[in-house]
Amino acid sequence: MGCNNCLNLIEAKEEIITPRPQNTENDNNITPKKKKNKNQIFNPKNLILEKNEEFILEILSEINKYRIKHGVEELIYDENISKIAQKYAEKCAREKELELSEHKYNDIDLGEILFCGNAELTPKEIIDIWYNEGSENYNYNKEPEISNNFTQLIWKNSKLFGLGHTLTKENKLYIVANFYPGGNIKGEYLNNIFPVINQSDVNSVYSINTKFLEEILNSHNEKRSKHNSPPLILNPSLSTLAQNKAEEMAEGKKIKKDNNQQFGINLFFSKKNCNGEEVTSFWYKGRKKYDFTKLNNNINNDEEINNFTQLIWKNTKDVGFGFSNDNKGNFYVVAYYFPKGNIKEEYKNNVLHD
């Protein structure tokens, strides 16, 4: 439970000022619309009172920044979960207590972080409080003895997010953040909590052959443009991971996809060195087999098709490449993609016809 800055709660009955949400769209899984006045000075208290959706968006943005750093997918705002959180935030404020609830959504337990503190804190400062509760010296190689807010924030399997908040007349801010599905499940930490992607140690990637990196990135983006997908950004962290994987394959002389579910992955093998455009064309050849009329098929039994759809997956933003030779001159290439593609029921919006 995130009862930070919660001491000395006011014992007298407090008047609760409940923010009224602005008009929302019918779709429950939406990103709140962000409205800003360029001349307005950022004031957390006014944001809570007058711009409920913007406050939620700021909180969610700060959470997702940490999730990206740890290599897990961003959370998506859910209106129904926010309604559950809002109702409970008001209850906590009325009773002047912070106690974890046992709320469920779609009969599945919600993860929950609670907060009571100064309304002048910015969304970033609030999320930093939660993140710092348990992040320092966390051992990613073993199950923790106790759960904390940090692990719930970056729990990989959590997909949706809702938030409720209430400001009292005495300037006391109550927040309830809910995550779906809930995290901090005993026995599942090693599959859901990952260290920060290393932003250093990229010399091994960029010093080998910058021409190859330029070729493969440019050819990727050329293919993507044909399918109305935005250009990818070369990510040093993903490239470091991809390089390690390529060297591992070269050393073991085998091509094998790992069980890393954080990123999309394409693999390439040749008995001779190839340029970046040739590697991209190899992955793209699945285009000939892909049936654009079956828009939401979860295609996972054909490697050529999977390579193609991941290469042009519209929602993928970052990519990293690694390449290596074994002692016989065989050539191995690894591409890591984030956010990953080939997600069931999302082909229609991410794999567009050329």
Side-chain angles (χ1 to χ4, degrees), residues 26-295:
N26 293 329
D27 186 2
N28 289 331
N29 296 336
I30 60 174
T31 299
K33 294 180 180 179
K34 192 171 183 177
K35 299 178 181 179
K36 282 193 175 182
N37 183 338
K38 293 182 179 180
N39 297 322
Q40 180 182 8
I41 298 175
F42 181 80
N43 184 314
K45 182 176 179 181
N46 289 340
L47 197 62
I48 296 163
L49 289 171
E50 302 171 6
K51 299 186 177 181
N52 185 43
E53 290 185 350
E54 185 174 340
F55 180 75
I56 294 175
L57 182 59
E58 294 286 351
I59 289 282
L60 180 57
S61 176
E62 294 300 328
I63 292 174
N64 282 336
K65 287 177 183 178
Y66 277 123
R67 290 178 66 86
I68 291 172
K69 285 180 63 175
H70 288 266
V72 296
E73 294 179 5
E74 299 174 74
L75 296 173
I76 299 172
Y77 171 76
D78 187 276
E79 182 181 335
N80 286 333
I81 295 176
S82 283
K83 290 178 180 178
I84 296 172
Q86 182 62 38
K87 185 176 180 179
Y88 192 58
E90 295 170 12
K91 180 178 185 294
C92 290
R94 284 195 305 270
E95 299 178 357
K96 304 184 293 294
E97 290 184 356
L98 285 180
E99 183 177 346
L100 289 174
S101 71
E102 297 181 356
H103 290 148
K104 296 178 182 291
Y105 183 62
N106 293 335
D107 294 324
I108 296 177
D109 289 335
L110 287 169
E112 190 168 81
I113 298 179
L114 306 179
F115 175 87
C116 173
N118 191 330
E120 305 301 328
L121 291 174
T122 66
K124 182 181 187 309
E125 289 170 333
I126 293 169
I127 300 308
D128 284 347
I129 289 173
W130 293 349
Y131 182 83
N132 291 330
E133 184 184 312
S135 61
E136 187 175 358
N137 300 322
Y138 184 85
N139 188 340
Y140 295 90
N141 298 315
K142 63 178 293 187
E143 289 273 321
E145 295 181 0
I146 58 174
S147 61
N148 54 58
N149 293 338
F150 160 68
T151 48
Q152 175 57 84
L153 281 180
I154 66 167
W155 192 266
K156 173 186 157 238
N157 196 44
S158 293
K159 306 299 182 184
L160 304 180
F161 173 80
L163 185 132
H165 57 283
T166 295
L167 184 67
T168 67
K169 185 177 180 180
E170 288 75 13
N171 207 36
K172 196 70 90 169
L173 173 63
Y174 290 81
I175 294 178
V176 175
N178 283 140
F179 303 77
Y180 174 88
N184 293 345
I185 300 172
K186 188 175 181 180
E188 297 187 16
Y189 282 83
L190 296 183
N191 294 324
N192 283 278
I193 303 298
F194 304 100
V196 173
I197 300 173
N198 188 9
Q199 293 292 334
S200 60
D201 192 27
V202 297
N203 290 336
S204 61
V205 177
Y206 293 112
S207 63
I208 298 176
N209 188 338
T210 56
K211 181 180 178 181
F212 177 84
L213 291 175
E214 182 179 352
E215 289 172 345
I216 195 170
L217 179 64
N218 288 343
S219 54
H220 262 62
N221 288 335
E222 180 184 356
K223 301 294 187 186
R224 288 174 62 84
S225 67
K226 294 181 178 180
H227 297 267
N228 199 29
S229 294
L232 297 174
I233 297 173
L234 188 62
N235 185 306
S237 300
L238 292 181
S239 291
T240 299
L241 296 176
Q243 183 63 33
N244 291 339
K245 177 67 176 178
E247 292 174 2
E248 177 186 317
M249 290 197 306
E251 183 177 352
K253 295 181 175 59
K254 63 175 65 174
I255 303 176
K256 182 179 180 181
K257 287 193 174 182
D258 52 27
N259 294 322
N260 191 329
Q261 299 298 313
Q262 304 172 68
F263 315 115
I265 182 173
N266 282 353
L267 303 179
F268 175 86
F269 169 81
S270 174
K271 292 185 177 180
K272 63 177 182 178
N273 284 358
C274 300
N275 61 42
E277 186 175 354
E278 290 171 330
V279 175
T280 300
S281 296
F282 174 83
W283 290 332
Y284 186 77
K285 68 181 182 180
R287 159 70 182 81
K288 297 178 181 179
K289 300 170 68 175
Y290 185 75
D291 187 350
F292 287 91
T293 64
K294 298 180 179 179
L295 297 178

Side-chain angles (χ1 to χ4, degrees), residues 283-312:
W283 290 332
Y284 186 77
K285 68 181 182 180
R287 159 70 182 81
K288 297 178 181 179
K289 300 170 68 175
Y290 185 75
D291 187 350
F292 287 91
T293 64
K294 298 180 179 179
L295 297 178
N296 276 327
N297 276 1
N298 181 24
I299 304 170
N300 57 17
N301 58 350
D302 191 308
E303 199 66 25
E304 287 189 0
I305 294 178
N306 285 342
N307 288 340
F308 160 69
T309 52
Q310 174 58 86
L311 192 157
I312 68 162

